[in-house]
Amino acid sequence: MPPRQNQGYSGDWEQDLMSEQVATAVAPIQHLEQEWDADKLQKRVKMYFRNAAKGLDWNAKPWHSLIEEYADTVFASIFQALKGRVWLEQVDFLMVLDAGVKELFPPHLLSHVPKAQFEQVVLGAHDRAFEEQRYSPMLWEVLFARIEEKPLKNRVYTAFEAGRKEAANPSNPSSPIPSTAAEFATAWVSCSLEMLRLDSNGKTLGQVLPIHMATDIFNALVEAGALPLPMTRDCEPLPPHWDVISTAVEDVYSGKLKAEIRRKPAAAAPAWGRGASNRGGG
């Protein structure tokens, strides 16, 4: 999926902005779809995007928060309904999301919004929500294969899901913003393990999750493709047992590395930009 720019809000409120954008988005991957023909795939995708707006309370939140919520609902539906589709990580739904906002949101909500600001919010909401929904099922699959105890599995899942969100959107203003895959991986490991420590009821990390298990989980997630796509799209495949992961895990367990988390992560645009592709380190 090559980097591209959001065309943005233009103020042109046509009734069916979505159909053309859906057709454009799925055309490059249609040959990879094994169950539905082009017409059915396009209808289903439009259904996911249109249904996602039905539960929004237009008076409860500011416009940018509504776009974030809309993106969350859209991609939760898509990743649930289309799980296992080989093309899902290749398709680009940015302009479909853009069209969905224009078509389905009440015009008065966005009439005052500058075009550049609208573009930035839609782009950020798309990339954040897509990445979060892409990560969640692979995290569960990795944990399911490695942790038998259900309470621990659930605790690690919650911590590691929140940790990745925190790495993408640091809650501490003094925390560095990751710009390479290595920087992101280090932040992701430290934030995830800190979230787990905070939920450990006074136990040490080693008592909750042995260091070898933590290293194995993160290595498996990297192998599964858990790093943000914008950071890895144009890079060579990462080596097995990437030393960035083992170093970060060891530094957290030894106390050398500790994430400073000030609040639970909230939905926001990813700190890493769409154009980022530098792996860095390791």
Side-chain angles (χ1 to χ4, degrees):
M1 180 166 54
R4 71 280 179 276
Q5 297 296 320
N6 181 0
Q7 297 300 312
Y9 168 57
S10 64
D12 183 13
W13 295 91
E14 300 176 9
Q15 289 302 307
D16 187 9
L17 297 171
M18 204 179 298
S19 293
E20 181 179 354
Q21 296 300 340
V22 169
T24 299
V26 302
I29 55 84
Q30 182 63 55
H31 67 287
L32 299 174
E33 171 57 34
Q34 300 298 311
E35 294 186 33
W36 299 335
D37 61 22
D39 184 61
K40 185 172 183 178
L41 179 59
Q42 291 178 34
K43 286 182 178 178
R44 288 296 182 93
V45 170
K46 283 188 286 186
M47 179 185 71
Y48 304 140
F49 276 87
R50 289 195 168 122
N51 287 349
K54 291 181 178 179
L56 296 176
D57 185 344
W58 307 118
N59 299 314
K61 298 178 181 179
W63 67 273
H64 51 84
S65 297
L66 288 167
I67 291 177
E68 297 285 353
E69 183 179 348
Y70 176 57
D72 282 332
T73 305
V74 165
F75 287 112
S77 298
I78 286 175
F79 274 85
Q80 181 178 3
L82 302 178
K83 180 181 179 181
R85 297 302 211 272
V86 296
W87 51 262
L88 195 51
E89 292 190 2
Q90 301 176 37
V91 70
D92 188 343
F93 284 132
L94 173 62
M95 295 312 300
V96 184
L97 185 71
D98 179 276
V101 173
K102 292 176 182 176
E103 180 179 323
L104 302 172
F105 279 43
H108 73 271
L109 286 179
L110 301 173
S111 60
H112 67 288
V113 179
K115 179 179 179 180
Q117 187 178 7
F118 176 85
E119 292 177 354
Q120 183 178 10
V121 169
V122 172
L123 178 62
H126 173 280
D127 288 2
R128 177 197 57 78
F130 184 91
E131 279 290 329
E132 289 177 5
Q133 292 299 325
R134 191 179 70 85
Y135 174 65
S136 293
M138 70 175 69
L139 172 61
W140 183 253
E141 289 180 9
V142 166
L143 297 181
F144 188 84
R146 287 163 175 78
I147 301 177
E148 293 185 5
E149 184 185 346
K150 186 175 180 179
L152 177 59
K153 188 186 306 178
N154 291 337
R155 181 179 296 179
V156 174
Y157 177 88
T158 299
F160 282 29
E161 185 179 46
R164 193 179 186 277
K165 293 179 182 179
E166 175 68 18
N169 301 284
S171 60
N172 188 340
S174 64
S175 297
I177 297 175
S179 60
T180 67
E183 290 175 359
F184 183 87
T186 299
W188 167 41
V189 169
S190 62
C191 290
S192 299
L193 292 174
E194 178 63 11
M195 291 288 189
L196 184 61
R197 187 192 68 78
L198 292 173
D199 189 35
S200 64
N201 298 318
K203 295 181 180 180
T204 66
L205 271 178
Q207 291 173 320
V208 177
L209 186 69
I211 186 171
H212 71 276
M213 287 185 65
T215 303
D216 181 50
I217 288 168
F218 281 110
N219 278 328
L221 286 168
V222 170
E223 185 177 350
L227 292 174
L229 290 177
M231 289 184 172
T232 59
R233 183 182 295 117
D234 299 323
C235 294
E236 293 295 324
L238 293 169
H241 306 291
W242 191 26
D243 60 355
V244 170
I245 294 296
S246 57
T247 298
V249 173
E250 290 168 6
D251 286 350
V252 170
Y253 275 76
S254 69
K256 182 179 178 181
L257 178 64
K258 184 176 184 293
E260 297 294 335
I261 299 171
R262 293 193 175 182
R263 56 169 172 76
K264 291 183 178 180
W272 31 267
R274 172 163 292 236
S277 60
N278 185 6
R279 178 191 306 167

